[in-house]
Amino acid sequence: MFLINCPYCGQRDQSEFSAGGEAHIVRPKQPTELSDDQWAEYLFMRKNIKGVQFERWNHTHGCRKWFNMVRDTSNDKIHAIYKMGEKPPIK
Amino acid sequence: MSKNLRITNSKFIDQTSRISFKFDGKTLYGFKGDTLASALLANDIHLVGRSFKYHRPRGIMACGPEEPNAIVQVGSDASMTEPNTRATEIELYEGLEASSQNCWPSVNFDIGAVNNFFSPLIPAAFYYKTFMWPANFWKLYEYFIRKSAGLGKSPTEPDKDIYDHRYLHCDVLVVGGGISGIMAAKTAAKNNFNTLLIDDKNILGGTTLFQENECFKINNSYSSEWLKKEIETLKSLKNLTIKIRTSLAAYHNYNYLLARENLTDHLNINEKKDKIRQRLWKIRAKKVIISTGAMERPLIFNNNDRPGIMLSSSIKKYIDYYGVKCGQRISLFTNNDSAYEAAISLNNSGVIVNSVVDIRDKTNSLIVKQAEMLGIKIHWKSSVVNTSGYKKINSIEIMKLSDDGTAVVGKKIKEKCDCLGISGGWTPRVHLFTQSGGKLKFRDKDNVFLPNKSELDQISVGSCNGDFELDEVINNTVDSINKFLKVNNNDYENLEIISSKEINKKNIWLLPSDKPLGKTKPFLDFQNDSTANDIKLALREGFKSIEHVKRYTTTGMATDQGKLSNMHALGIIAETAGVKMGELGTTTFRPPYTPLTFGTIVGRNVGEFFDIIRKTPMHDWHVENKAEFENVGQWKRAWYYPINNENMHEAVQRESKAARDSAGILDASTLGKIDIQGSDASEFLNRVYTNAWSKLEIGKCRYGLMLNEDGMVYDDGVTTRLSENHYLMTTTTGGAANVLSKLEDYLQTEWPELDVYLTSVTDHYGTVSICGPNSKKILSKIIPDLDLSDKEFPHMSFKNTLIDNTKCRVMRISFTGEHSYEINIQASYAKSVWEKCYEAGKEFNITPYGTETMHLLRAEKGFIIAGQDTDGTMTPVDLQMDWIISKKKYDFIGKRSLYRSDTIREDRKQLVGLLTEDPKEVLEEGAQIVSETNKQPIEMLGHVTSSYFSPNLNKSIALAVIKNGKKLKGQKMFVPMKNKTINVTVTDTVFLDKENKRLNA
Amino acid sequence: MKNKYSIFSLIKNAFSYHENWQRAWRDPEPKKEYDAIIIGGGGHGLATAFYLAKKHNITNIAVIEKGWIGGGNTGRNTTIIRSNYLWDASAGLYDHALKIWEGLSQELNYNIMFSQRGVMNLAHNLQDVRDLKRRTHANRLNGIDAVWLNTEEVKEFCPIINTSPYIRYPVLGGTLQRRAGTARHDAVAWGYARGASAMGVDIIQNCEVKGIKKNGDRVEGIETTKGFIKTKKIGVVAAGHSSVIANMVDLKLPLESKPLQALVSEPVKPIIDTVVMSNAVHAYVSQSDKGELVIGAGTDAYVSYTQRGSHDVVEGTLKAILELYPIFSRMKMLRQWGGIVDICPDASPIISKTHIKGLYFNCGWGTGGFKATPGSGDLFAHTIANDEPHKLNADFNINRFVSGDLVDEHGAAAVAH
Amino acid sequence: MLNFNSPIIDTKEYSEIKISEVEPILKINLRGKNRNFITKIGKELSIITPVDPNTSSSNEKLNLLWLSPDEWFLYSNDKIGLKDFYLLEDRLFNEISKVKLGSVTNVSDHWIMIHLNGKKVYELLSAGCPFNFNNFKNSKGAVTQTLLNHIDVIIHNKNTNDLNLFVRRSFSAHLWSWLNDSARFI
């Protein structure tokens, strides 16, 4: 069980949160302009990185806010947490 | 018992309180403070079980969680019996019953022992190589294999005991209350850390607690005396919590640890009642100090598994702590100094010590000198090559070792004994450290794996960190703890420590024998019966990695998880394959450290608390009116209301008819309700639903369909425009939570520019739905001043009104096709409104109906239920609901997916109606539909999604999805059942009132 | 095979204290070039190599394994084998596998202990009943031996299940596939390895793939920790690590890798002699030949390659186990572990060519790959050998995520993806 | 008159724990993002809007709890007549929602309030709640939203050993039963 530092509520147990997959996949502003391939890329294709990955989490059972997390998927270490719309603090 | 094996001066056993217990049906006696193992040994019982594969007699070997042999069945009650319990960890209590496992008819005479005779035929993994002929006989072979496998017996009745959970947050957790743990806990607590110290025994102090040897002294007193004083000082520390009988089960990431506290297992039957048996502590510690000590290793030589062969440190504990002599003529066999501690203790207690067989060349450490001074005989540079005695050891054979240690030479000496203590050195308990993700390093000088790198805020101290000698333990613990906690504790400065130092070290993983290896049985894993030969066989067959060898030979996979066998397995592999131990690596230690009862893991989440039960405000009314309930997610919904022994079908037919003929009343409170406010509310709805919302008038309701981004139908419901920027959305019962969180997700992450706020009001409102031709009359009785005319209050509109001064919202919407109203009122008054409607409706024979009738009524009208008629593969077009997709809107969730090459196919599966040729025949939901019955392979075109006998149409109706269904209307199809084929015709989805006249009836 | 296994060979070898057994598979150094390379020495990869050699006569193959063969999900699963899938495509695929399982011990001359003790799937709510009946009907018409059981029949088939109507989610019935069952997972990897090796396949362990070399739009070979190896065909069967390999050639796959946990109890005498799965109450259990209860837990909802999951998942599973089998409360968890499963959005696998010539992927098996092992290997071998899918895996192409023609099997797995 | 029905209405006492349902009080959910919204609610309710996470502010009649950066929860200490309540609700709605400052939603019956007091209440909560109460228990007015026995709850620490717990109505009977079951073993 991770200990997650919600950017609003502070440190909480993982059970209060839910994961939302890879971050920074922006929903296309003009989906109708996209080819089937491009749309599939948005819908389904994921980097699924082993290592440092940027992802979305939601404090479901707390403030219900979404935020971003930088986590190493090879050891589950959380490197950084930042609010939606903010730039990642690390590359 | 005839023999008196109990000495009288033990400080830890209360010899004034005698306890009676039963083992294998025989009544025996022990004392308060005994474990089952110590009490059995005191009764001269060594033989307690049979081994897994060869059914060889096995005796008690250790005194703690690493015990491989003495695992017994506790209790005989069908609900309370417990298999595979280690006798070394069972505290004796009055009335304890235990029995041997894996033997029949008895542990003394076990038929299965014939396996030992066949043992040459059944080496490691033999089963992969045989039982393949004839092919269909495996079932039979397997039956016998299974029967002979397994150890204890599962209970056959539900457990009566109670378990629970507790969360605990602390600054410092110290695991293990031996000397280093006590020093660590004291230091932490004194320096204002909120500290928790846990130990799996019933008393703190570890092995130092009973160390009364001249070679180990602190400030001129026995180390045990010094430690007892330290333990005393713990009591005054405010920041310290101590939990005994609490063993750490698992160490997870982020310093999340699970510990099991045993609360009643040591109590007698009467005292156990109405108490929590075991509690699982879920600990979140800022810092963790592991001080779990070390385990003694056995030695691997021919026939090293006989009852009476025990770890030397255990023999020492039995005599020094429990006051029990494990034998009367004891021999010891060692490669290090620790066996001498046992020898001295035994000697001091008047037990005859035959000799110590030591594989090393002569050494003259303090403790060895002491033993020699006491006149204890030592066979230097020698090895035990064989043992005798079937049910208990009676002699050993000793030979000299060659200079290189690979062979034995010279004359064989036979020595009679009734117990053999063995010591192969020490293994630090690094299990928790590795469970936490820490990496190990290998120390060559004494062949141990030690904690190396960890990502977590934790440290290991004492012998689990490789410090085996008293002065090392104390000095290194002090230094490490000070550094780790960033404190400067000087309590332990200037201690005067005497500690015997081990000078000479030597290790031979597999001791040589005078016989060829194939003729010997040097056991590694005592419980799973794997020998050094098995390891060598695996290597010979190309199983190189430790994980392969482990799995091929099953070494280390028994209930002790290889606590005693893993190191030797690695050693023999390394030696045989010519690899360095450090490079070979270890297998992963997986949680739990010791087996953990399912009940403890589950805690109170059983029975009533297995899962949440959600109830509507009218729930009690439904119960009083004998409703049967359906589980819908976590909700209990009224399913149907049988009267006078009606079955479900009869009740549903009656309810359905009543709803259409006169009036029905339904509890619709479980639907999800989301309050939407904000200046962009209309735009928001445009983006989440497939249809357009901007032009919906205030006071009007509209049905909406929500898709996933993949274009498939996700949820549906009616949304009402309450005012300019204020809507009330309803969702399906099951979808409520997911829809809200999905909408919040879009608002927060994709469309933060929208000024929209969502608030769940699902539980705030109770919803009473009344339908049928008389619903209007009933409502007018309840809210007389509300104008219910079609002009003022048409279908798909809503009114704010009051019932007895309480605000409520009445929607005129319909899921049945009947004229109907939904009254939404704050939940506290909903039951009262329901009762009022029921009273008012009595003159119209108002009939409460449940979900089943609701499903039937909507099916008559061809309305879908998301999740029943859709399965995540249906688009709105597939549902023949093209009308609900706005052509004008540029985008909405899922729109793009509707135009992919597969989703625009015209011959996708589409929702249609089905009528059976025989109107009485009701199709089975889930039945498949075909167009030809004699084609092979048969092509399934679709399946029945909803099916009912309609009392209002007096015929069977069904909804189905069929490939290219839109174009198949009027066509004959077949539903092939197991014993018959049903003829059906494809129809429109609306069976009743196609013109929607009843809505305004 | 030089060293045929049988009771006679055991007796013969007993006389020489089992000192003359030969290696189960060779342990060669990699050659400079192979006709085909399989990345991933799990059950699926080894089976692929085996069938490439046996059925397609391509024997100059290497199986490249980062760790030790069968050490990934092959050795970490709960060994359930069944084919009662909903959609025709899936039923075809899994039943193809099941038919091979039925003769696999003999085909490999290695007892993989395929035990057809039946698999029962329970229904706990009305939608479960509809879904399972739908599956049962589809199975029957697809020639798969699934039958619907009512609650009493469920109880009769497995008496220790709590079928009381008063539990939170009562058992409303279930489906039973009698041909389904379990097999010994390690033996599957070892048996295929032994068989493949005997036909000339090189099994290279402790060799990590570091890169894939391309020339234009086709593959040329792989960079490994044991050097460069040339080849024109690469079959990737890396399960949880599929994306890691795909990322080497900038190929994005519709996969997420998540921890899936399982656990065993201490061994006890036979108490449950079938496999029972429950979707709604979220538990599945069987008993191994050794006597351990083998219990599958769920996946965590986040991507992780740690082979460790949250304790909550284990707790949730055991809670469900005790709801259905309250007699197991005093049984003890002996060991828990995790694997990394690669999950597709439609809960169906990919056995497919890619847009890169000579590069093939077999992945996305999620929580249910073990049961498909022989079929998956056979069909993947066909796809690699012919550069064309077999008709049984044609629907499991990567392109389905573009067209939208998914094979949605969410209902079929006892674990909610 | 319509009858008022609560799912619980009960008080139970255990050693150093007292659990009781408190009804019926006013509960309003307030959401808004900008400064004007924050000043407006402060003005309308004569209360300081708490902007620090996990805090609350109270006056004689009302408590305003921070739930998230754009969400607050208002509840009254005492029972309040429907008429007075409607007046307040309408006023807030008109002053905030109508003028597009944010949202005002009546959630009086969405939440059930359970009052817990006694020395062992935090121990009781720790039987099913992963939240760390070590600092929380001594901080007056602290607020947390978390899980208790897998159920979403809002906990308002009115004072040490004296707190109000809010649970959604449909879950309340179940949580009540769990609280009582657990309290037996504290």
Side-chain angles (χ1 to χ4, degrees), chain B residues 652-917:
Chain B
V652 169
Q653 295 288 306
R654 172 182 51 75
E655 291 170 12
S656 303
K657 200 126 179 48
R660 293 224 188 273
D661 290 350
S662 180
I665 181 167
L666 171 86
D667 179 359
S669 307
T670 60
L671 290 184
K673 293 171 275 289
I674 301 168
D675 184 86
I676 304 173
Q677 297 178 39
S679 50
D680 294 318
S682 304
E683 171 60 17
F684 176 67
L685 291 172
N686 276 336
R687 295 189 193 185
V688 301
Y689 279 129
T690 61
N691 46 352
W693 290 80
S694 312
K695 287 182 183 157
L696 181 68
E697 285 171 45
I698 294 167
K700 290 285 160 61
C701 316
R702 181 168 286 172
Y703 174 78
L705 207 53
M706 206 181 284
L707 309 184
N708 258 329
E709 282 292 13
D710 67 0
M712 304 304 156
V713 172
Y714 179 67
D715 204 79
D716 66 347
V718 170
T719 295
T720 304
R721 190 164 197 173
L722 301 170
S723 65
E724 176 65 25
N725 300 317
H726 191 190
Y727 289 84
L728 180 69
M729 174 189 277
T730 60
T731 72
T732 60
T733 299
N738 291 338
V739 169
L740 179 63
S741 90
K742 179 177 155 131
L743 298 184
E744 269 290 344
D745 187 357
Y746 276 93
L747 271 179
Q748 287 180 35
T749 64
E750 300 295 347
W751 309 322
E753 73 281 5
L754 292 186
D755 176 39
V756 175
Y757 298 100
L758 309 176
T759 306
S760 168
V761 288
T762 302
D763 292 33
H764 179 65
Y765 291 105
T767 306
V768 181
S769 171
I770 50 174
C771 79
N774 285 315
S775 57
K776 192 179 190 171
K777 289 180 201 154
I778 296 167
L779 190 66
S780 69
K781 281 172 76 178
I782 295 163
I783 319 176
D785 23 356
L786 190 63
D787 184 346
L788 298 180
S789 66
D790 285 342
K791 187 162 167 263
E792 265 308 301
F793 197 178
H795 180 57
M796 295 307 264
S797 66
F798 110 99
K799 293 286 175 208
N800 270 320
T801 180
L802 294 171
I803 300 180
D804 291 346
N805 299 324
T806 309
K807 277 188 187 177
C808 68
R809 292 174 181 152
V810 183
M811 274 78 171
R812 188 171 162 197
I813 50 178
S814 174
F815 191 44
T816 58
E818 292 299 313
H819 191 129
S820 96
Y821 300 92
E822 275 186 11
I823 306 165
N824 286 284
I825 191 155
Q826 66 181 84
S828 301
Y829 300 104
K831 187 178 170 219
S832 187
V833 167
W834 172 280
E835 285 164 345
K836 243 177 138 81
C837 290
Y838 189 65
E839 276 307 310
K842 266 189 176 160
E843 62 174 298
F844 305 104
N845 182 32
I846 192 168
T847 301
Y849 68 92
T851 50
E852 190 64 22
T853 294
M854 171 183 86
H855 288 181
L856 189 159
L857 295 172
R858 62 86 208 181
E860 291 177 333
K861 288 292 296 172
F863 295 146
I864 62 150
I865 292 185
Q868 178 172 342
D869 301 297
T870 67
D871 62 358
T873 67
M874 302 292 287
T875 70
V877 182
D878 299 340
L879 294 172
Q880 306 215 41
M881 290 170 81
D882 312 46
W883 53 269
I884 206 168
I885 303 171
S886 164
K887 300 286 180 297
K888 287 182 201 148
K889 287 200 296 184
Y890 181 71
D891 191 16
F892 55 81
I893 296 172
K895 179 174 182 178
R896 176 63 187 79
S897 288
L898 297 176
Y899 302 95
R900 292 177 294 169
S901 64
D902 190 69
T903 39
I904 53 169
R905 265 194 307 120
E906 299 224 320
D907 62 346
R908 286 172 62 85
K909 284 188 180 167
Q910 290 142 357
L911 187 78
V912 295
L914 282 187
L915 286 175
T916 46
E917 197 177 84

Side-chain angles (χ1 to χ4, degrees), chain B residues 47-59 68-71 100-104 106-107 110-117 119 122 148-152 305-307 390 521 523 525-531 558, chain C residues 267 269 290:
Chain B
L47 171 61
V48 286
R50 292 278 175 158
S51 66
F52 195 83
K53 190 167 155 189
Y54 305 126
H55 289 250
R56 282 169 71 106
R58 289 285 163 78
N69 294 337
I71 52 172
S100 308
Q101 300 183 152
N102 206 34
C103 49
W104 185 86
S106 80
V107 70
D110 176 22
I111 296 280
V114 62
N115 283 5
N116 191 38
F117 178 75
S119 64
I122 50 176
S148 66
L151 291 167
D305 67 325
R306 301 193 187 283
Y390 183 56
K521 281 218 157 41
F523 283 91
D525 187 319
F526 296 88
Q527 197 182 114
N528 266 355
D529 267 351
S530 68
T531 64
Chain C
K269 294 290 173 196
K290 218 183 141 185

Side-chain angles (χ1 to χ4, degrees), chain A residues 4-62:
Chain A
I4 297 173
N5 206 359
C6 168
Y8 305 100
C9 304
Q11 213 169 50
R12 299 295 188 90
D13 191 87
Q14 185 190 337
S15 53
E16 293 184 10
F17 298 83
S18 41
E22 214 167 302
H24 305 299
I25 300 174
V26 182
R27 186 174 188 274
K29 289 275 176 257
Q30 299 177 312
T32 40
E33 313 290 312
L34 301 182
S35 68
D36 280 5
D37 271 311
Q38 288 167 318
W39 181 244
E41 179 89 8
Y42 162 71
L43 265 189
F44 295 126
M45 302 305 167
R46 297 293 177 261
K47 285 184 207 145
N48 193 25
I49 287 169
K50 181 180 186 179
V52 176
Q53 163 157 302
F54 296 77
E55 51 192 27
R56 294 155 16 98
W57 283 75
N58 182 233
H59 194 187
T60 326
H61 303 288

Side-chain angles (χ1 to χ4, degrees), chain A residues 1-2 14-15 19 21-22 36-37 40-41 44-50 53 55 57 71 73-76, chain C residues 66 241 243-244 247 252-257 301-306 308 310-312 345 401-402 406:
Chain A
M1 303 297 290
F2 309 167
Q14 185 190 337
S15 53
E22 214 167 302
D36 280 5
D37 271 311
E41 179 89 8
F44 295 126
M45 302 305 167
R46 297 293 177 261
K47 285 184 207 145
N48 193 25
I49 287 169
K50 181 180 186 179
Q53 163 157 302
E55 51 192 27
W57 283 75
R71 186 173 56 95
T73 61
S74 67
N75 59 17
D76 287 339
Chain C
K66 186 174 68 170
H241 283 73
S243 297
V244 176
N247 286 338
K252 270 206 214 168
L253 295 171
L255 295 177
E256 285 195 306
S257 295
Y302 53 86
V303 169
S304 179
Y305 288 84
T306 55
R308 296 199 293 184
S310 320
H311 170 72
D312 277 17
F401 297 96
V402 176
L406 304 184

